[in-house]
Amino acid sequence: MSENYTSKPLHSISVVIATLGLEPIEKTIDSINSSTIIPSEILIWIPTSYKKNIPVLNHPNIKVVLTEVKGQVAQRSIGFNRASGDIVMQLDDDLILDCLCIELLMNKLLLQGACAVVSPNFICDSSKLSIYQEVDRNKVFLNFYYWLINGNKGYMPGTISSAGVNFGLNTNIDKSNYYNVEWLAGGCVMHYKNNLVLDNFFPFSGKAFNEDLIHSYLLKEKGCKFFIVKSAVCYLSTISSSDFSVKGFLRNFFGDYKSRKYYVKLSSKSMVRMHFFYFFWVASYFSDKLSSLIKKL
């Protein structure tokens, strides 16, 4: 079935990007401004001490705003408060939007009404497949693992397990275009401005691990419903945990642990099942590292 596209938006759209300028943001900006619907403003929030990292961006709808606040959620919350559009899209600084992405997201948002929050289909830029395709491991082991972290429900795409572990949605294997899910990845989310969480809800410093789970919980408390639009494509690069050095892995592990523990308590999930998840995560990382080392010998 063909889609009907409009050349002009009926609503003003603001894009909010929180950045440190460590990623080359030009391609992201170019993809936004090459869309079939171009946002009225792109707000780039960056701490003053990092301003040298932002290149000159010659687009009339861009506003680079310096802030003394550092932290993805904190910077984004300021951007949310300052956004003028009645539709606001949060976007990471390293993502590339398909030219129809914004329009398709907006169409779904308007179709679902005032409580809707929508997100695109995240595709790996190298494989052109969903970033949530299932891992290639023994099925018996996987079923046991999913039972440990989610009980008899097992693996349920698009949901959040009893362990507070979010299951991604593998769009490679489903013909549907719209999905009603329990959480949305924070890299690209479109909201009605009236539904925004305007405060800095992330209680830790440093990288905002699992902020999308906390954010989804708070939006759900406001009565929001979450949708993924398969035809709205967003490209990104992916990296496996096993590609990290031991030091990098441990840094990510502890950051992930403290934030997920906070979320599990907030949402009354199972701390025991959460620890099963981390046991298998650590075991899997070192098993993959050992296998890689053996192959090199």
Side-chain angles (χ1 to χ4, degrees):
M1 182 179 294
S2 62
E3 301 270 9
N4 292 320
Y5 303 117
T6 59
S7 58
K8 294 183 179 180
L10 300 177
H11 298 259
S12 57
I13 303 174
S14 298
V15 176
V16 174
I17 302 176
T19 185
L20 297 178
L22 302 179
E23 298 289 341
I25 199 171
E26 295 96 323
K27 290 183 178 180
T28 298
I29 298 299
D30 287 342
S31 74
I32 297 171
N33 280 333
S34 298
S35 300
T36 53
I37 289 181
I38 298 176
S40 56
E41 63 178 3
I42 303 172
L43 301 173
I44 301 174
W45 291 85
I46 185 167
T48 302
S49 57
Y50 288 82
K51 65 179 181 179
K52 64 180 183 299
N53 294 337
I54 291 291
V56 176
L57 300 168
N58 295 314
H59 298 269
N61 58 344
I62 288 180
K63 300 176 184 177
V64 178
V65 188
L66 303 180
T67 174
E68 298 307 314
V69 174
K70 180 185 175 184
Q72 184 183 45
V73 177
Q75 291 169 233
R76 184 194 296 155
S77 67
I78 299 173
F80 281 172
N81 278 279
R82 292 278 295 274
S84 62
D86 56 337
I87 292 175
V88 179
M89 188 171 79
Q90 64 188 70
L91 187 68
D92 282 357
D93 61 1
D94 58 347
L95 304 183
I96 305 297
L97 303 181
D98 177 78
C99 66
L100 287 172
C101 184
I102 293 176
E103 183 166 359
L104 293 171
L105 290 177
M106 190 186 74
N107 288 347
K108 181 61 174 176
L109 192 75
L110 298 178
L111 179 66
Q112 292 300 140
C115 294
V117 185
V118 298
S119 188
N121 180 17
F122 290 99
I123 297 295
C124 176
D125 59 4
S126 57
S127 69
K128 300 300 185 285
L129 297 173
S130 170
I131 64 169
Y132 299 117
Q133 58 185 320
E134 291 184 83
V135 295
D136 184 20
R137 293 194 184 276
N138 180 277
K139 292 295 183 182
V140 174
F141 167 79
L142 279 178
N143 288 337
F144 176 64
Y145 164 72
Y146 291 135
W147 176 78
L148 283 175
I149 67 171
N150 204 32
N152 291 331
K153 293 180 180 179
Y155 179 73
M156 297 184 66
T159 69
I160 303 173
S161 73
S162 299
V165 177
N166 43 316
F167 293 137
L169 189 68
N170 182 4
T171 55
N172 299 331
I173 59 176
D174 199 304
K175 295 182 180 180
S176 299
N177 190 37
Y178 304 119
Y179 306 86
N180 187 195
V181 294
E182 292 184 0
W183 70 281
L184 294 176
C188 181
V189 185
M190 183 178 285
H191 316 251
Y192 287 103
K193 186 176 181 179
N194 290 339
N195 292 333
L196 293 173
V197 178
L198 296 175
D199 58 326
N200 176 17
F201 58 81
F202 193 72
F204 307 104
S205 60
K207 185 177 178 180
F209 292 95
N210 299 309
E211 61 87 11
D212 43 10
L213 292 181
I214 302 170
H215 195 193
S216 294
Y217 174 83
L218 296 175
L219 288 169
K220 187 176 181 180
E221 289 291 291
K222 292 166 69 75
C224 295
K225 296 181 179 179
F226 309 137
F227 299 92
I228 290 175
V229 182
K230 180 178 179 179
S231 56
V233 174
C234 181
Y235 295 99
L236 70 159
S237 299
T238 59
I239 181 170
S240 171
S241 292
S242 60
D243 293 330
F244 286 98
S245 66
V246 173
K247 183 179 179 181
F249 172 78
L250 291 176
R251 182 171 56 249
N252 286 343
F253 173 88
F254 287 114
D256 191 282
Y257 178 85
K258 66 181 181 180
S259 58
R260 196 181 303 273
K261 181 180 178 181
Y262 173 83
Y263 168 74
V264 166
K265 289 182 176 180
L266 181 70
S267 58
S268 301
K269 299 286 186 179
S270 170
M271 197 69 68
V272 173
R273 291 188 187 276
M274 186 195 79
H275 283 98
F276 278 129
F277 162 72
Y278 282 112
F279 171 80
F280 281 100
W281 187 18
V282 172
S284 176
Y285 170 78
F286 284 105
S287 174
D288 289 344
K289 277 292 186 185
L290 182 60
S291 296
S292 178
L293 181 61
I294 291 173
K295 290 178 181 179
K296 292 178 180 179
L297 295 178

